[in-house]
């Protein structure tokens, strides 16, 4: 397990670029909302903790993880420095899980290749709900925190390259 010996919420705050002038968009899936709200809280709190003004954080909700692609594409047009796409897909009894995970992964990858505003992949793709709970503020920390740190670093790269 990749997160067994790593807390997703831990990072070296001294290694984070100044984020006080950056604007961020966060697109949140409403599906599995107990998980995605935890991820959002982790991302939001980490951005605030690193100097981002709350007025420079724009949130949009979309129905499910598959819709994160379109929501993120439209958010890239909102004069933000980075977008965080937050979702949660939990393995079920059908192949739906595979199709959604593949589509969202490729869609977000495509947005990063085609457009200039980075989109950070904060979509949990877990085998069961407990794994998602553990990664959205539970025993493994919060993937949302990790995504916010990545967003700050990518916004800095975008603005300084």
């Amino acid at each position: 397990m990749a997160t067994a010996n790593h807390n997703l919420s831990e990072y070296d705050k001294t290694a984070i670029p100044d984020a006080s002038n950056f604007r961020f968009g966060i697109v949140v899936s409403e599906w599995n909302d107990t998980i995605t709200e935890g991820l959002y809280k982790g991302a939001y709190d980490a951005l605030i903790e690193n100097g981002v003004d709350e007025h420079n954080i724009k949130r949009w909700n979309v129905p499910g993880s598959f819709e994160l692609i379109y929501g993120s594409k439209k958010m890239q047009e909102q004069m933000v420095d980075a977008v965080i796409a937050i979702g949660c897909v939990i393995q079920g009894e059908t192949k739906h899980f595979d199709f959604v995970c593949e589509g969202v992964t490729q869609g977000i990858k495509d947005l990063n290749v085609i457009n200039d505003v980075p989109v950070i992949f904060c979509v949990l793709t877990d085998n069961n709900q407990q794994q998602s709970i553990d990664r959205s503020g539970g025993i493994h920390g919060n993937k949302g925190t990790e995504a916010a740190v990545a967003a700050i670093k990518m916004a800095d790269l975008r603005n300084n390259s």
Side-chain angles (χ1 to χ4, degrees):
M1 177 180 325
T3 54
N5 297 315
H6 176 76
N7 185 312
L8 297 164
S9 299
E10 293 177 359
Y11 63 96
D12 180 3
K13 292 175 180 57
T14 65
I16 305 303
D18 178 18
S20 59
N21 292 320
F22 293 146
R23 295 185 41 155
F24 296 92
I26 305 177
V27 183
V28 183
S29 168
E30 296 172 337
W31 192 259
N32 292 318
D33 64 331
T34 57
I35 304 301
T36 59
E37 287 303 319
L39 294 169
Y40 172 77
K41 180 175 178 6
Y44 181 87
D45 289 350
L47 292 174
I48 296 296
E49 182 176 284
N50 284 286
V52 179
D53 185 279
E54 67 182 72
H55 295 101
N56 287 335
I57 302 171
K58 178 180 257 189
R59 175 187 172 150
W60 288 349
N61 288 352
V62 295
S65 289
F66 203 79
E67 290 77 26
L68 288 170
I69 303 162
Y70 183 78
S72 295
K73 179 179 94 167
K74 298 308 282 182
M75 185 66 84
Q76 286 178 311
E77 300 169 0
Q78 299 299 305
M79 297 184 61
V80 296
D81 295 291
V83 176
I84 302 170
I86 294 177
C88 175
V89 186
I90 299 173
Q91 177 73 55
E93 298 175 1
T94 68
K95 293 180 69 74
H96 181 74
F97 173 87
D98 298 322
F99 298 130
V100 172
C101 292
E102 179 72 17
V104 174
T105 301
Q106 293 303 318
I108 291 175
K109 180 267 301 174
D110 290 345
L111 292 176
N112 279 303
V113 171
I114 295 168
N115 298 317
D116 186 48
V117 176
V119 179
I120 307 305
F121 186 87
C122 183
V123 180
L124 297 181
T125 56
D126 293 318
N127 293 318
N128 57 59
Q129 187 167 10
Q130 188 60 53
Q131 288 178 339
S132 295
I133 291 167
D134 292 346
R135 290 160 179 77
S136 60
I139 63 170
H140 293 304
N142 195 314
K143 183 74 172 171
T145 303
E146 185 181 67
V149 170
I152 293 168
K153 290 179 177 182
M154 293 304 291
D156 186 62
L157 175 67
R158 176 180 181 256
N159 286 308
N160 291 311
S161 61

